Amino acid sequence: MSVNIPSNSVPSGASRFQVHVINEGHGSGAAVSDSTDPPHYEETSFGDEAQNRLKISFRPGNQECYENFLQTGETAKTDTTFHAYDSHTNTYYLQTFGHNTMDAVPKIEYYRNTGSVSGPKVNRPSLQEIHEQLAKNVAVAPGSADRVANGDGMPGDEQAENKEEDMTGVVKFGWVKGVLVRCMLNIWGVMLFIRLSWIVGEAGIGLGVLIILLSTMVTSITGLSTSAIATNGFVRGGGAYYLISRSLGPEFGGSIGLIFAFANAVAVAMYVVGFAETVVDLLKESDSMMVDPTNDIRIIGSITVVILLGISVAGMEWEAKAQVILLVILLIAIANFFIGTVIPSNNEKKSRGFFNYQASIFAENFGPSFTEGEGFFSVFAIFFPAATGILAGANISGDLEDPQDAIPRGTMLAIFITTVAYIGVAICVAACVVRDATGSMNDTVISGMNCNGSAACGLGYDFSRCQHEPCQYGLMNNFQVMSMVSGFGPLITAGIFSATLSSALASLVSAPKVFQALCKDNIFKGLQFFAKGYGKNNEPLRGYFLTFVIAMAFILIAELNVIAPIISNFFLASYALINFSCFHASYAKSPGWRPAYGIYNMWVSLFGAILCCAVMFVINWWAAVITYVIELFLYIYVTYKKPDVNWGSSTQALSYVSALDNALELTTVEDHVKNFRPQCIVLTGGPMTRPALLDITHAFTKNSGLCICCEVFVGPRKLCVKEMNSGMAKKQAWLMKNKIKAFYAAVAADCFRDGVRSLLQASGLGRMKPNTLVIGYKKNWRKAPLSELENYVGIIHDAFDFEIGVVIVRISQGFDISPVLQVQDELEKLEQERLALEAAIKDNECEEGKGGIRGLFKKAGKLSITKPAPKKDSNISTIQSMHVGEFNQKLVEASAQFKKKQGKGTIDVWWLFDDGGLTLLIPYILTLRKKWKDCKLRIYVGGKINRIEEEKISMASLLSKFRIKFADIHIIGDINIKPNKESWKVFEEMIEPYRLHESHKDLTTAEKLKRESPWKITDAELEAVKEKSYRQVRLNELLQEHSRAANLIVLSLPVARKGSISDLLYMAWLEILTKNLPPVLLVRGNHKNVLTFYS
């Protein structure tokens, strides 16, 4: 059955695609097309095409489901009557754009994080699934077809789905109740009612409005930055901490998050004390004091904060209702003030300076009239805290329905409304009330008196004596001016109560929410206890009680004049970092920085950050210093601890951009010999399998050169790539954990040599390309397959072909500690099994009590499982065997020999052939390291017996020009004499199994042997290079004589001419050359200068 729906049934101009579920079965009772009819494949139309139609195939009874899809434009949710698959009678396939394919169409579910509260995450088909050949006759299990039918990933993301179900009943707020109301209440504080009149009296209308606008500029820029960050991705709970930490990283976020949460907790005490002081003033007027003013503030404050805690713990819904009630009271109080300004003043109010709107008063109060000790910045410092509170909505971001929409809209509108109210109140009060008034109705102007020209004098009152003695009334003297001006004075008191209590309630909610988000990220390990939430809204009850304790402590102090400036600076520091976060994210130019809120500018945000820092010092310089010191301390602490988090911060993005720019800039600079440094490719395989090889290389590349640990995966490409990709991150993490400054790189290849060849050519970036290949000596070359041997010698030839130096490292026990790691893995598995068994025993004991299965598990618990020794990542030698002989303990000790500090000894450098100086440079760099600094360089060079002293002086002169310190120089004059017979016999016995001995055969037989065993050493080859073979054997004798006790030997690597020296003979040379010696580095540079004596 097919229904054609006109294109005007869906929004015009929208691009559409159709996913068809085609029924290929023909079950009885289904109203489907005749079995001979082929399935209909409808192609998708895009744009405004004429006759654009959408054809839908559906099963009987499901037309309503599709109609709902078309009307709402949302994804239709299947119910029990409609299934994308039927495991018993029907098979369904996904049809995208009219084609059967596993390719999935774009869906939001693919981009969610696992366990997202906004919906389940599903996985799209992998690249391998749509790239590899489709397996035939694959049985589709129920549930797996759901992925194909819906274009989803692997089904069964039950945890995320269950989490989504659990979210039903959660209280979420819109932008009005969640952000606008909270921000307005937090911004409108007691300053509006009891300090704004004094501020406009001191600064005048002109500068007073300027102070308000300057404060608003700071908060508006911060609001724009907050909006930009909040709309650049999904925002979770945590407010300012979440925004800063996800932008600048855990170091900035953790430091500011902790002090921001503390500032909110102390702010609760500040607002509650402000409320308590107002109540105590009322008690004084009615002569109803309980004890004394200080203790009355403590009593009333304690009772108030307990009530506020009860409202908060009752749930966010109750707290939101309380906030709305307080806002209504506050708005009535503000309206009451404006109404009072137009109610005709009586004589009592006139004597106190209130004359309704008068142009003369406006003109007189327009300019400043600062009293002694006051100025523009001091007045600004007093007013600015009244403009803060813009993060009240953002701080409960986790409780908002749509934070990306609510935070920008609510915050910016709240700033606008409150600013208009502040300016309106300031202008109105300054246009109605004179600066000084006596309050005496007898101070009227008598006819004939000389008027001083003041506005009050022109209106019939003489307040001239206020110039000589203090007065109690007027803008400059009376903090209760708004109560006097208002239509009904008690409403202003109610407004003060509303302003203080609402701000206290907002702070009491904000502090635990921010603190909980901080604790959940586990940046400060000791605070994990406070991360737990309760109920549907994940309420931070533990955080509430901690905030309560902090607030109570400061309420009992009852003297907050010292702590108040620090709290204001804490808030300003968070504003500064939010602005800097916006600037930094824009400056980093990360493709992931795409805020939906486009009304921002990176340079304006930077200006806002600087402005916030300046305001901090304007308000209180010593409080600003304290704030910076605390923040710096926390920053250093978090940086030292290095929390294991990755939030894609702009710091990472900027690091990448800086590295890229530096790398590109480096490519424009020609290489210079003075800046040469060994940049090494180290064939370690997995870096943990050959730690000694990596350690010795890292010793001369750390902080000076590039080091890349390389691994070649040989075998079927699909399996190799899978294994390679799965271990990439783990192996790089191992390097970081062991503080090895190196990269890990891997390739998949058909053979080992091809893989190394690829690495030699393609590794590195620009000027940061490897120039040295470091490999371990192939100890088992005599037993290894010929293909392995050919590959090993072949990579040395390849390195020389690519003009890359070669370092071959040999130690007595070899490098590969895979057997050790296998034992270690076995021990870890046994330990995991033991822990799992113990956990199972405990669980069953709790469930079954003392009887039943408990006895069975008790018997199981008696199994003897050996617990491994504690593992230290930095030193593999701490691994201990379960039984003697399970692995080679000597191998373990040898693998850690370069981790230890080398005592006083020598590094013997046998610089036999000039390779550009790499043979000399590497040991020199080693002596600069802490572990090798006690070792002295001894230089050995070849020479003539009759010119030993001259050549020694010449070499000493060369080394001094190179500025390389050395302990001694030895000129070896007898290198080219024949070795003794015993040594030569050892060499001959070594190569005997690999010799062809063709000279003892007839010509035909010899040719046949060469064809059958081309890899063997011929008599002709051996004779041709006999002098070189003598030299290798003789060098070993000299090494045994002079360097047997050295800590390390660095020796010129002999080069095998391609096509002339067989692989077996070359390996025999290396074997006899380094036999029975301390650790040896066979080094051959690329014969380009790496040392210079020119400045």
Side-chain angles (χ1 to χ4, degrees), residues 611-681:
L611 201 58
C612 288
C613 295
V615 171
M616 290 173 68
F617 282 95
V618 167
I619 290 177
N620 193 300
W621 69 267
W622 58 262
V625 171
I626 291 174
T627 303
Y628 284 125
V629 168
I630 294 173
E631 189 174 337
L632 180 63
F633 171 77
L634 292 173
Y635 179 89
I636 294 172
Y637 173 82
V638 177
T639 304
Y640 175 75
K641 289 295 183 181
K642 292 182 180 177
D644 187 19
V645 293
N646 183 11
W647 294 324
S649 66
S650 60
T651 306
Q652 295 172 336
L654 192 61
S655 297
Y656 175 83
V657 171
S658 299
L660 186 61
D661 290 342
N662 290 335
L664 288 171
E665 186 178 350
L666 200 59
T667 59
T668 63
V669 180
E670 291 293 330
D671 287 332
H672 195 280
V673 63
K674 287 197 295 184
N675 292 323
F676 176 87
R677 58 198 67 219
Q679 303 193 118
C680 300
I681 278 185

Side-chain angles (χ1 to χ4, degrees), residues 778 780-782 784-795 994 1015 1062-1065 1067:
K778 192 170 184 62
N780 65 339
W781 65 274
R782 281 180 275 194
L786 289 171
S787 59
E788 285 188 16
L789 191 62
E790 184 180 355
N791 281 335
Y792 183 81
V793 178
I795 63 174
Y994 314 111
W1015 44 270
S1062 62
D1063 296 340
L1064 285 166
L1065 180 58
M1067 291 305 299

Side-chain angles (χ1 to χ4, degrees), residues 372-623:
E372 187 177 352
E374 299 295 346
F376 177 82
F377 289 109
S378 64
V379 174
F380 173 81
I382 291 171
F383 173 78
F384 184 81
T388 60
I390 61 172
L391 297 180
N395 285 340
I396 62 161
S397 53
D399 296 296
L400 300 176
E401 284 180 0
D402 185 5
Q404 289 184 294
D405 176 68
I407 292 174
R409 187 185 298 185
T411 303
M412 298 311 297
L413 186 58
I415 292 173
F416 175 75
I417 293 173
T418 53
T419 301
V420 170
Y422 274 129
I423 293 175
V425 170
I427 293 175
C428 289
V429 75
C432 297
V433 183
V434 297
R435 281 191 167 103
D436 296 296
T438 60
S440 174
M441 290 185 287
N442 296 323
D443 288 338
T444 56
V445 176
I446 303 170
S447 59
M449 285 184 62
N450 184 19
C451 188
N452 60 5
S454 66
C457 190
L459 294 170
Y461 279 83
D462 179 19
F463 300 141
S464 57
R465 62 189 175 96
C466 291
Q467 297 176 2
H468 311 291
E469 59 184 65
C471 293
Q472 295 182 353
Y473 297 97
L475 296 176
M476 307 278 280
N477 309 306
N478 184 13
F479 291 155
Q480 302 298 328
V481 167
M482 287 190 68
S483 296
M484 177 190 68
V485 173
S486 64
F488 184 62
L491 277 178
I492 298 297
T493 304
I496 295 173
F497 288 172
S498 173
T500 52
L501 293 178
S502 62
S503 297
L505 193 56
S507 297
L508 185 58
V509 171
S510 297
K513 294 284 185 181
V514 173
F515 194 58
Q516 182 187 36
L518 176 67
C519 297
K520 275 184 176 179
D521 290 335
N522 203 23
I523 293 177
F524 299 97
K525 303 291 185 184
L527 302 178
Q528 187 68 21
F529 173 78
F530 296 98
K532 184 175 176 57
Y534 296 87
K536 291 286 186 180
N537 269 65
N538 197 32
E539 294 290 348
L541 296 185
R542 296 174 178 176
Y544 280 133
F545 284 104
L546 177 64
T547 305
F548 170 76
V549 170
I550 294 172
M552 282 294 292
F554 282 95
I555 287 169
L556 295 177
I557 293 173
E559 289 292 336
L560 296 175
N561 291 335
V562 175
I563 200 71
I566 298 177
I567 301 307
S568 296
N569 274 294
F570 280 0
F571 285 125
L572 273 168
S574 64
Y575 293 174
L577 279 180
I578 287 176
N579 284 310
F580 185 73
S581 298
C582 184
F583 163 76
H584 201 265
S586 303
Y587 185 75
K589 297 175 183 153
S590 172
W593 174 249
R594 302 184 301 274
Y597 189 84
I599 310 174
Y600 75 96
N601 180 275
M602 58 183 285
W603 300 111
V604 173
S605 295
L606 178 61
F607 173 71
I610 296 171
L611 201 58
C612 288
C613 295
V615 171
M616 290 173 68
F617 282 95
V618 167
I619 290 177
N620 193 300
W621 69 267
W622 58 262

Side-chain angles (χ1 to χ4, degrees), residues 932-997:
W932 292 88
K933 67 177 183 179
D934 292 333
C935 294
K936 306 297 183 182
L937 290 184
R938 293 194 303 185
I939 312 300
Y940 293 83
V941 293
K944 297 178 181 178
I945 296 178
N946 58 353
R947 297 188 72 254
I948 287 180
E949 287 303 321
E950 291 88 339
E951 292 189 6
K952 188 173 183 178
I953 294 171
S954 175
M955 179 55 60
S957 174
L958 179 61
L959 293 175
S960 64
K961 287 182 178 180
F962 285 150
R963 301 171 305 282
I964 292 178
K965 296 180 180 179
F966 57 90
D968 201 358
I969 295 176
H970 296 269
I971 306 299
I972 308 298
D974 53 351
I975 291 178
N976 291 322
I977 65 174
K978 286 185 179 181
N980 61 50
K981 293 181 179 179
E982 290 78 10
S983 300
W984 181 250
K985 185 177 180 181
V986 170
F987 178 74
E988 287 185 321
E989 290 174 352
M990 183 188 302
I991 63 173
E992 180 60 32
Y994 314 111
R995 292 187 62 181
L996 196 64
H997 289 295

